[in-house]
Amino acid sequence: MKKTNLPFKKKVKQLKKLIQSLSHDASEKTIRQIKRLFQTLSFQIPSFNLKRVVLGSSLAIALLSGYNIQAQSFKAAVRNPFGITDNDNLFQPEFFDIDGDGDLDLMTADYYGNHLLYRNTGTKYAPNFAASVTNPYGLSAPGTMITLYTSGDIDNDGDIDLIECGYSYGTGSGNINFSFIENTGTATAPAFAAPVNNPFALTAAPGFFGAPKLVDIDDDGDLDMVLNSFDYTAYSTTYYTYLNAGTASTPTFDPPITNPFGMTVEPVISVPTFADIDKDGDLDLFNISYYGNMTMYRDTSGASGDPSFTSAAEMDPFNIVFPDAALRIATFVDIDADNDLDLFASTEQDSTGAAGLWFIEDTTSHVGIAPRTENNLTFSVYPQPAINEITVECNLVADKKSLLSISDLQGNIIYTTELSSAKNTIQLGTLPAGMYAVQITNGKEKGIQKFIKQ
């Protein structure tokens, strides 16, 4: 009997630990982990007993006791919002915070593979993108056309790295190789090294056109690789999944698996992206077809770590439609920090070869947890991770004191101050390395953000 209870007790302990971190880390990743554990444990004990585990945590109760959203609601597509300008190629939207200032920047490539960076000179809540800069931070053209990126902290060192694929004119159906461009700088001062071909035991895939995607597909805490490979000879697409058998810091990829976990591939050309758009705790599969239509396949795995995508296709989910019919690449991202996932997708190329981005905003009102905010007071903390100082930006309210405090994860307050401006720099001094929480109170409103001190 004791042996039978050990896994259960371990999972309950893990659930409690995750719930305790909610006030400081209400990220999508944490929410998915909690929901999967809750589902697993609910198969073993009655749900009313399990809710005792979360007693006293209003955040967790909101999450687990009927945490829902209203029906998804998206606006009509808008071309090139937030100051974005056309590109002379298939416009792949890849968003990440390249300079550690707390907002999302945009990167794509031109026809000859040059890296084009659109820096966000606005804020995380009101983005505004400057004119593109070509090959910044030591980047260079890889010598391939239709170069497509994926970004992520592949080596878990606190900054964003790039992995890209492309094809050279005239090569036809052959091999799609992975090019790893390591960020050897920092989260706030990136510096990219020379490309390395097929690192971390990644192997070339057959085909001549491929869009790589770093995603934790099996929910084990490290980044895996999903590649769509279009074979011109067979005139069809295959999804190759490379599972990370290493760790978050030292990746090692297994040989590719073809169309795993029940993945459905659309006819001819199919481009995947993944998102938990319905906030049910797992990543669903979204395919873009040759003519630019979107199809959704839900993950029905429940408590399982590995996904299981249904074969039941949902065409144009949530009434997402595009004004044109074209091959496109899409991504979901919370561009305005309002706790929902908006959609960016490339537009049809015009007669000159120029293409832009469609923006389809999610306007759903969510019920339950709002990541990184409490009582609707929102602010930003950067850089992430921090070394010597942090910058805190928030909107001050006239005639109300804005009080800031920094505490460790045990709740011990180690710094307090009254804010007098919207942008504040705080020296970290001899603060030990670790994770901390910044809390701002402004009248009856309150907000919490976490940061990591290196």
Side-chain angles (χ1 to χ4, degrees):
M1 181 63 70
K2 290 183 178 180
K3 289 183 179 180
T4 302
N5 281 335
L6 279 177
F8 168 75
K9 291 181 178 180
K10 183 178 180 180
K11 289 182 182 295
V12 169
K13 184 177 180 180
Q14 185 181 357
L15 177 60
K16 288 182 177 180
K17 185 176 180 180
L18 285 169
I19 288 171
Q20 289 171 355
S21 72
L22 270 175
S23 61
H24 306 299
D25 180 17
S27 66
E28 295 294 328
K29 178 74 174 178
T30 303
I31 291 171
R32 288 203 306 270
Q33 289 176 327
I34 289 175
K35 285 187 174 182
R36 288 189 183 277
L37 273 173
F38 188 82
Q39 288 173 334
T40 300
L41 290 169
S42 66
F43 293 141
Q44 302 179 44
I45 61 174
S47 60
F48 67 88
N49 286 337
L50 183 55
K51 287 178 183 177
R52 295 177 183 176
V53 174
V54 303
L55 190 62
S57 173
S58 58
L59 283 174
I61 292 171
L63 173 65
L64 299 174
S65 300
Y67 173 72
N68 291 307
I69 58 172
Q70 298 175 5
Q72 300 298 120
S73 176
F74 285 85
K75 288 185 176 180
V78 177
R79 183 181 173 116
N80 291 351
F82 313 122
I84 297 170
T85 54
D86 276 355
N87 177 23
D88 66 349
N89 191 19
L90 177 66
F91 200 137
Q92 179 202 3
E94 186 73 11
F95 291 90
F96 52 91
D97 185 4
I98 196 169
D99 47 11
D101 63 351
D103 55 41
L104 293 173
D105 307 296
L106 169 64
M107 183 174 283
T108 187
D110 67 12
Y111 184 75
Y112 295 101
N114 291 295
H115 304 76
L116 303 181
L117 173 67
Y118 298 76
R119 285 196 64 247
N120 186 352
T121 57
T123 68
K124 64 186 296 183
Y125 310 109
N128 183 67
F129 294 96
S132 64
V133 177
T134 302
N135 294 329
Y137 308 120
L139 292 167
S140 60
T144 56
M145 300 174 187
I146 312 185
T147 299
L148 301 175
Y149 307 102
T150 185
S151 60
D153 187 4
I154 189 65
D155 49 8
N156 200 33
D157 63 351
D159 54 42
I160 296 296
D161 310 298
L162 301 177
I163 294 181
E164 60 190 30
C165 298
Y167 78 97
S168 297
Y169 180 76
T171 60
S173 181
N175 291 317
I176 301 173
N177 291 289
F178 299 93
S179 184
F180 170 57
I181 305 177
E182 183 182 5
N183 187 350
T184 58
T186 66
T188 56
F192 291 96
V196 176
N197 201 42
N198 294 333
F200 314 123
L202 286 168
T203 55
F208 85 104
F209 170 91
K213 178 70 69 174
L214 283 171
V215 57
D216 185 6
I217 193 68
D218 53 2
D219 199 32
D220 64 348
D222 54 39
L223 292 173
D224 309 297
M225 174 66 73
V226 177
L227 174 75
N228 80 310
S229 171
F230 174 64
D231 189 321
Y232 183 79
T233 303
Y235 214 54
S236 64
T237 299
T238 301
Y239 289 169
Y240 293 102
T241 297
Y242 300 76
L243 295 177
N244 187 350
T247 66
S249 302
T250 310
T252 300
F253 292 96
D254 283 341
I257 309 170
T258 301
N259 301 334
F261 312 124
M263 290 183 186
T264 298
V265 180
E266 309 306 315
V268 190
I269 295 179
S270 183
V271 183
T273 191
F274 301 88
D276 183 14
I277 196 170
D278 52 3
K279 294 186 180 291
D280 63 349
D282 52 43
L283 296 175
D284 304 303
L285 168 64
F286 295 83
N287 284 340
I288 301 290
S289 71
Y290 181 78
Y291 294 104
N293 299 310
M294 175 173 280
T295 306
M296 176 181 178
Y297 299 89
R298 296 180 185 270
D299 178 3
T300 59
S301 60
S304 172
D306 289 341
S308 177
F309 297 106
T310 178
S311 59
E314 297 180 41
M315 297 293 296
D316 300 324
F318 314 115
N319 294 317
I320 295 174
V321 293
F322 299 100
D324 57 359
L327 173 65
R328 68 180 93 253
I329 297 177
T331 189
F332 289 95
V333 62
D334 186 3
I335 193 63
D336 48 7
D338 63 348
N339 190 34
D340 56 39
L341 294 176
D342 309 301
L343 177 63
F344 285 87
S346 47
T347 70
E348 182 179 20
Q349 291 176 288
D350 62 21
S351 58
T352 67
L357 284 181
W358 291 120
F359 171 60
I360 303 179
E361 183 182 2
D362 185 348
T363 59
T364 307
S365 297
H366 295 279
V367 179
I369 293 178
R372 303 182 179 91
T373 65
E374 287 187 18
N375 302 330
N376 298 322
L377 194 157
T378 55
F379 62 96
S380 59
V381 179
Y382 59 89
Q384 294 281 8
I387 300 176
N388 298 316
E389 63 183 25
I390 57 172
T391 298
V392 178
E393 289 191 36
C394 66
N395 293 322
L396 301 183
V397 179
D399 302 325
K400 290 184 180 180
K401 288 185 178 181
S402 294
L403 302 177
L404 178 147
S405 64
I406 298 177
S407 61
D408 59 25
L409 295 189
Q410 285 71 49
N412 302 310
I413 297 177
I414 54 182
Y415 176 83
T416 59
T417 188
E418 181 177 341
L419 301 180
S420 58
S421 63
K423 187 174 183 178
N424 307 268
T425 300
I426 300 172
Q427 301 297 321
L428 301 181
T430 58
L431 192 68
M435 184 178 294
Y436 297 88
V438 177
Q439 177 175 292
I440 296 180
T441 56
N442 190 325
K444 295 182 179 180
E445 294 186 338
K446 179 174 64 174
I448 297 176
Q449 291 265 21
K450 69 167 185 175
F451 72 92
I452 297 174
K453 167 67 161 56
Q454 284 189 338

